[in-house]
Amino acid sequence: MAHIDLGVDETLFPGISGPLRYRPETAKPLMELAEVLLRGPHPLTAGERELIAAYVSGLNECTFCCGSHSAFAAAQLDEGMELVDRVRADLDTAPVPEKLRALLRIAGAVQRGGRGVGAELVDAARAEGATDLEIHDTVLIAAAFCMYNRYVDGLATVVPADPAAYADTARHIVRQGYLG
């Protein structure tokens, strides 16, 4: 049970879903931000951007967001959950392109604190072909997911007991997006 009465059956609206229903006027811009960052036109694939969200959520130990965005990434990456699990377990040895690895390192630095993103991380990402847009949006995805993670965990929302719930939601997100 969440710390506050969200006015919904939390088993039907777990994680961020309950708080979003509680405050629809704040839900709209939060979901619009997620839609633009994770699904809008971009040089990084939607799966790669979801992987950044899952990686940061895992570092933040946010069970709901990590489970959700891991499933969303897996549904959109050819290598599926095996790749997501490998990235989360050991970024240094995960089989990802060097550009993505460099961007994930930037995301990890943001998770620890924004000032941890130094010139060396940015230069390393650029050396692997990352554009300013990709660097910008990686920082923004990581920062946004620190906020989303704290929103979910700060209210102690319900986490689905069945991991299959994340896969079900992933199918919806892939088809409809965050606004559908």
Side-chain angles (χ1 to χ4, degrees):
M1 187 90 190
H3 290 310
I4 63 172
D5 180 2
L6 298 173
V8 297
D9 178 347
E10 291 179 59
T11 62
L12 298 177
F13 300 100
I16 201 166
S17 304
L20 293 175
R21 287 188 173 266
Y22 180 76
R23 290 275 289 166
E25 60 274 28
T26 59
K28 184 177 185 291
L30 289 173
M31 292 298 91
E32 288 172 342
L33 179 60
E35 182 71 20
V36 168
L37 287 176
L38 300 176
R39 296 184 43 85
H42 203 277
L44 294 174
T45 69
E48 290 169 330
R49 289 175 281 156
E50 289 285 2
L51 183 59
I52 293 167
Y55 182 69
V56 168
S57 297
L59 293 174
N60 282 327
E61 300 177 0
C62 181
T63 302
F64 178 80
C65 293
C66 184
S68 296
H69 294 281
S70 290
F72 302 169
Q76 298 176 86
L77 294 168
D78 291 339
E79 304 86 352
M81 191 58 80
E82 180 181 338
L83 178 63
V84 175
D85 290 341
R86 289 187 66 187
V87 165
R88 291 196 48 247
D90 185 359
L91 177 58
D92 292 333
T93 63
V96 294
E98 290 303 319
K99 179 176 85 171
L100 183 56
R101 187 182 328 278
L103 292 171
L104 286 162
R105 285 188 178 119
I106 288 172
V110 171
Q111 182 271 335
R112 292 185 297 278
R115 291 188 181 138
V117 179
E120 68 285 349
L121 288 173
V122 172
D123 290 345
R126 283 192 178 125
E128 296 299 341
T131 65
D132 285 351
L133 175 65
E134 291 167 329
I135 293 166
H136 173 277
D137 285 4
T138 294
V139 169
L140 187 51
I141 290 166
F145 274 84
C146 287
M147 175 189 62
Y148 291 128
N149 299 160
R150 284 155 180 77
Y151 184 38
V152 167
D153 287 344
L155 288 171
T157 61
V158 169
V159 175
D162 182 2
Y166 299 119
D168 291 342
T169 304
R171 285 187 286 280
H172 173 79
I173 292 295
V174 169
R175 276 193 323 271
Q176 304 286 337
Y178 289 94
L179 302 175

